Amino acid sequence: MKNIDVIATDLRFPEGPAFTSDGTLWCVEQEGESLFWLKPDGTQGRIHVGTGSRPNGLYIDDLDRLWFCDSGLHAIRCISYPGQEPEIVVDQVDGERLSWPNDLTFDTEGNMIFTCPGSPDKDEPGYICVCSAVGEVKKISESLFYPNGLAFLPNARTLVVAETHRKRIWTGRWDSTGLNWINPTVWAETGSDGFGPDGLTLGPDNLLYAAIYGGTCLQVYKPIGTLSDTIKLPGENPSNCAFDPTGRLGLVVTETQKGQLLRIME
């Protein structure tokens, strides 16, 4: 039996939960132009990241740098230390500005992979990019309809990407040297209910957790792509999820319909 608790409220379209090394939980507020934080002692606050910004996916690296997609400014931005103004790291590919960057992750070699689905109101293919550790940016896929959340399976060599508008999850071998996503194939169909898979995270149990936006649930998948479990949620629109590495908060979910952060514990 899973216990679900609300740990933060009144958030403006939360997304991208992630943790810094001191145990602070962070997420973005897409409609609040902010990064929200919740410390282990319960104190909370926000960092405003600029008028016109629309922060989306968030990744925190081993140096506690906060990397986030900013679909409003069509850029990937980074905060390297507390109090710093977020800097733009990437804002173009092939001479054009990024198309509504959505989510991001890093491989073991320091290459950043991110999705650019385009406008959520258009049913057109988006693309996926990689920015190498030395700053080379290129597209690695241009065929998915609203590519969204992404993660690596336990071997760190298989890249998984959610295709929201087709309610599918794809996998392909990741070539961290040649910077290529090789032979991507459909790995799982998330069903007809809801809008489709959004954020993805790999659990400590080596299962993949997918937030099903519009589906009022998380879906849990085995590494071979078969459904293992469905976790029902109190809100209709979960956008993403992440595990607290300390175990204190269990599995955290950002829920946009009610503007909440949820905690799921056994």
Side-chain angles (χ1 to χ4, degrees):
M1 183 69 179
K2 293 178 171 60
N3 297 313
I4 301 177
D5 300 310
V6 177
I7 57 174
T9 60
D10 300 321
L11 303 179
R12 299 184 62 189
F13 210 105
E15 239 280 17
F19 291 84
T20 44
S21 61
D22 64 355
T24 300
L25 168 61
W26 292 80
C27 73
V28 305
E29 290 184 282
Q30 281 193 39
E31 296 176 359
E33 301 178 338
S34 299
L35 306 185
F36 172 85
W37 51 264
L38 175 64
K39 292 187 178 296
D41 64 5
T43 58
Q44 57 184 250
R46 289 172 171 83
I47 297 175
H48 186 256
V49 293
T51 302
S53 66
R54 188 178 173 84
N56 204 331
L58 173 67
Y59 183 94
I60 298 176
D61 65 19
D62 292 340
L63 299 177
D64 281 343
R65 294 177 296 190
L66 282 71
W67 305 76
F68 63 97
C69 295
D70 192 328
S71 57
L73 299 185
H74 298 274
I76 309 296
R77 304 172 71 192
C78 180
I79 297 177
S80 297
Y81 53 86
Q84 181 204 32
E85 181 75 17
E87 62 176 320
I88 291 177
V89 180
V90 181
D91 62 359
Q92 292 189 1
V93 61
D94 298 336
E96 299 180 351
R97 72 175 186 169
L98 300 181
S99 182
W100 298 71
N102 186 289
D103 206 350
L104 74 166
T105 192
F106 283 77
D107 68 12
T108 56
E109 304 301 318
N111 303 304
M112 177 174 63
I113 303 102
F114 59 93
T115 52
C116 285
S119 170
D121 300 323
K122 295 181 179 179
D123 192 31
E124 299 175 350
Y127 55 84
I128 307 168
C129 289
V130 61
C131 176
S132 75
V134 294
E136 174 194 358
V137 182
K138 72 171 188 176
K139 296 177 182 177
I140 59 172
S141 172
E142 299 181 70
S143 60
L144 273 60
F145 286 77
Y146 212 86
N148 198 328
L150 66 177
F152 282 98
L153 290 185
N155 61 16
R157 294 189 297 272
T158 302
L159 177 65
V160 186
V161 181
E163 185 186 22
T164 304
H165 283 185
R166 294 295 182 269
K167 300 180 174 64
R168 303 186 291 198
I169 301 174
W170 291 72
T171 60
R173 185 168 68 85
W174 176 243
D175 174 11
S176 60
T177 302
L179 303 180
N180 294 304
W181 194 33
I182 299 171
N183 192 30
T185 56
V186 175
W187 183 72
E189 304 271 1
T190 63
S192 58
D193 294 337
F195 187 63
D198 196 331
L200 307 175
T201 194
L202 183 68
D205 52 9
N206 284 339
L207 300 178
L208 186 80
Y209 291 70
I212 308 299
Y213 189 90
T216 321
C217 69
L218 301 181
Q219 290 183 350
V220 187
Y221 288 90
K222 298 178 182 178
I224 57 174
T226 58
L227 185 65
S228 173
D229 193 12
T230 298
I231 303 172
K232 288 295 184 179
L233 299 172
E236 183 177 335
N237 297 328
S239 60
N240 214 329
C241 52
F243 282 87
D244 182 347
T246 70
R248 182 178 60 88
L249 293 178
L251 175 59
V252 172
V253 180
T254 47
E255 203 291 309
T256 67
Q257 180 195 31
K258 297 183 177 182
Q260 297 175 338
L261 284 174
L262 307 175
R263 176 183 65 182
I264 302 175
M265 303 286 287
E266 294 289 346

